[in-house]
Amino acid sequence: MVKEIENYVRVLLPQIGAGKTREIIRLVFEIAKRDKLTPEHILPAAENLNFISAKKLLLKKRYPKNYASAPTDVYYLPELNLDFCSPADYAKKEFYPKYIFVDAQAKDSPLAARVRHMFPAAEYKILDKKQKVGSADYSRRADTLYITRENFDFLKNCPCTAGAAGCGYNLINLGFGCAYECAYCFLQQYQNAHAVALPANLGDFLARVDGAHFNKGPFARPRLGSGEFTDSLLFDHITNYSSEIIEFFRGRPHIDFEFKTKSVNVANILAAEPCGNIVVGWSVNTPRVIAGAEYLTPPLDERLRAAARVAARGFGVAFHFDPVIIYYGWRADYKETILKIAAAVPADAVRWISVGTLRFNRELKKIIEARHRNTEILNEELLVGFDGKLRYSDAQRKEVYSYIFPMLKKYFPKAHVYICMEK
Ligand code: SF4
């Protein structure tokens, strides 16, 4: 399709420069992908167009909801290059690394011993000094498991986004790299060592908790969570972090600890004695978004079954509608998802629910296009927003929150419902 569009635009508008040609090609491509139309339908030759009239016509078609009110500098139209990076690998397989690298400082750790035992067929190597390991290809990151000893980056306040009202979250960076393939994942752009890195010195992280300054935002007590640079529980059968964390925070009831996950890897949680300040937070979405953007992750029903078991065991649960994605039929689908959660999990067990609409650094757009050719998440109108990220317009985001919030408050009256990364 791309070649056909390029040829058509170059023949139709032969006199315009390379930069302008690239913008026209991109707009035609995005409309063709969304509306399943040919270039001739989108940009008819009979219209006698020049660059300005062609771009205006295309912007109106590409951004029909926002064109009349949006300023001219909110459209992000980078060069179209579907070979920008290799496509994602959606083949479902159990995590089994081909290579295991271990920092020399971590070589005698229980985690190093455990991974050696769990993955006997992997090539195993001790590294004398910290070094960059992993594949040159992001899609091959699950081939490499890197057991590290973290010396610096233990705890931090959630950086949120520029100009947003934060929720007072705090982060503990237990791991870097994920085996799921969410189309919107910022790690695709952010991670430069393409491996799954897991620290062997959890005790050093926990040793920083007492005496640390934690934000609490509008919550009664600080919340601390893992899962910024990886899924909190996806590798828990390997790390056993959750068992140690639960025991640690059992003695610190003034802090809520949250495991944020899309996984159903809750065996360690279920095996532990319940603890009131431990919360497992599931990222949830509509079945259509899960199937078409959260590749390799468990379906909604499985996530909810895991949440029900965790709640029944006596732990807190949380849900994160993040990212909410707008598509034709989103309202009915999100309503159904909320009703499913309400039917699966007792409302009193739900401690908090966050809602955030799709947003990402603009540079990620080209990566998403190249890695996830069939995803629909870029079809809606994404504009450069207040923090420089691509987002839905203010009006569309308000529409989402106005629709979802009252339902969440109705079905989960005791849960703290809040918005994530908004001004
Ligand atoms: S689960 Fe989270 S970390 Fe993993 S791919 Fe999806 S968005 Fe990224």
Side-chain angles (χ1 to χ4, degrees):
M1 175 168 80
V2 176
K3 272 277 156 265
E4 186 196 345
I5 292 170
E6 286 175 349
N7 291 340
Y8 180 78
V9 169
R10 291 202 166 101
V11 169
L12 188 71
L13 297 165
Q15 308 292 357
I16 64 175
K20 291 175 177 172
T21 304
R22 281 202 296 264
E23 286 192 356
I24 299 294
I25 288 171
R26 161 158 294 283
L27 283 164
V28 174
F29 168 78
E30 291 186 12
I31 298 164
K33 184 165 181 273
R34 181 192 63 193
D35 299 344
K36 305 196 175 22
L37 292 174
T38 63
E40 292 81 1
H41 273 97
I42 297 164
L43 203 57
E47 301 259 347
N48 215 3
L49 297 160
N50 58 26
F51 170 70
I52 292 176
S53 57
K55 184 172 173 182
K56 195 170 165 185
L57 181 128
L58 291 172
L59 285 174
K60 270 189 193 168
K61 289 189 178 182
R62 177 64 184 93
Y63 300 94
K65 295 174 190 159
N66 292 294
Y67 179 75
S69 57
T72 50
D73 59 353
V74 295
Y75 304 112
Y76 181 61
L77 306 172
E79 181 181 14
L80 179 65
N81 181 5
L82 297 188
D83 299 320
F84 190 64
C85 50
S86 66
D89 178 1
Y90 300 134
K92 200 156 195 134
K93 44 192 178 276
E94 208 173 310
F95 177 70
Y96 196 112
K98 290 183 183 156
Y99 314 100
I100 297 174
F101 295 94
V102 179
D103 274 344
Q105 289 179 305
K107 72 178 175 15
D108 299 322
S109 63
L111 182 56
R114 200 157 49 244
V115 299
R116 193 156 200 186
H117 176 72
M118 288 179 82
F119 307 112
E123 201 178 305
Y124 188 90
K125 191 173 172 196
I126 309 288
L127 301 178
D128 288 336
K129 53 179 190 274
K130 251 204 190 307
Q131 65 186 73
K132 193 168 159 181
V133 301
S135 169
D137 181 356
Y138 180 80
S139 297
R140 302 262 71 82
R141 65 199 178 283
D143 287 351
T144 306
L145 176 59
Y146 183 22
I147 304 301
T148 64
R149 184 189 162 82
E150 182 56 58
N151 291 314
F152 304 106
D153 194 13
F154 295 108
L155 306 170
K156 66 178 182 187
N157 304 129
C158 179
C160 199
T161 193
C167 69
Y169 206 73
N170 305 279
L171 296 161
I172 180 166
N173 286 327
L174 292 173
F176 206 122
C178 186
Y180 292 148
E181 270 293 4
C182 302
Y184 50 76
C185 182
F186 79 109
L187 292 177
Q188 298 171 99
Q189 179 193 7
Y190 189 78
Q191 189 174 19
N192 49 20
H194 299 151
V196 172
L198 300 169
N201 54 327
L202 172 62
D204 291 337
F205 286 77
L206 298 179
R208 308 286 164 131
V209 168
D210 293 333
H213 169 74
F214 292 120
N215 290 332
K216 68 183 178 72
F219 287 78
R221 52 190 188 224
R223 295 174 306 148
L224 175 63
S226 51
E228 185 190 21
F229 297 128
T230 183
D231 183 286
S232 291
L233 294 179
L234 175 57
F235 303 112
D236 199 54
H237 59 296
I238 301 169
T239 63
N240 290 338
Y241 289 156
S242 67
S243 310
E244 207 172 319
I245 287 171
I246 291 170
E247 291 320 309
F248 181 85
F249 283 97
R250 192 186 302 285
R252 288 158 182 82
H254 56 288
I255 300 173
D256 283 331
F257 189 94
E258 181 184 25
F259 297 98
K260 268 190 192 171
T261 191
K262 291 185 176 94
S263 84
V264 294
N265 202 8
V266 292
N268 283 337
I269 308 269
L270 296 175
E273 281 305 308
C275 180
N277 58 323
I278 294 291
V279 176
V280 184
W282 270 271
S283 169
V284 283
N285 226 310
T286 68
R288 178 163 163 178
V289 171
I290 291 173
E294 296 182 349
Y295 305 107
L296 305 180
T297 65
L300 178 66
D301 289 346
E302 284 184 28
R303 294 182 207 180
L304 296 185
R305 271 197 294 277
R309 293 180 74 198
V310 165
R313 181 82 180 114
F315 292 97
V317 295
F319 294 99
H320 300 283
F321 284 82
D322 202 344
V324 172
I325 292 177
I326 297 177
Y327 55 88
Y328 182 75
W330 67 270
R331 284 180 194 76
D333 287 359
Y334 279 98
K335 181 176 182 183
E336 201 181 318
T337 302
I338 292 168
L339 292 177
K340 273 191 169 185
I341 297 172
V345 180
D348 285 356
V350 181
R351 298 283 308 281
W352 53 79
I353 305 175
S354 74
V355 187
T357 50
L358 180 66
R359 71 266 172 201
F360 51 85
N361 283 341
R362 62 183 91 177
E363 295 76 19
L364 187 62
K365 180 172 175 173
K366 289 177 73 168
I367 297 174
I368 297 172
E369 281 173 341
R371 297 197 72 244
H372 307 281
R373 305 269 173 104
N374 295 321
T375 190
E376 294 178 340
I377 67 168
L378 299 178
N379 284 359
E380 218 353 277
E381 301 181 27
L382 291 157
L383 310 170
V384 178
F386 66 90
D387 54 356
K389 292 180 179 169
L390 290 178
R391 298 171 164 271
Y392 303 130
S393 67
D394 287 2
Q396 286 181 286
R397 302 201 313 282
K398 275 184 197 159
E399 190 187 345
V400 167
Y401 301 130
S402 310
Y403 180 74
I404 290 182
F405 253 64
M407 264 190 286
L408 292 175
K409 294 302 284 178
K410 176 178 169 192
Y411 290 105
F412 306 98
K414 290 190 183 158
H416 190 127
V417 183
Y418 64 100
I419 301 182
C420 188
M421 290 198 189
E422 278 292 356
K423 61 185 171 176

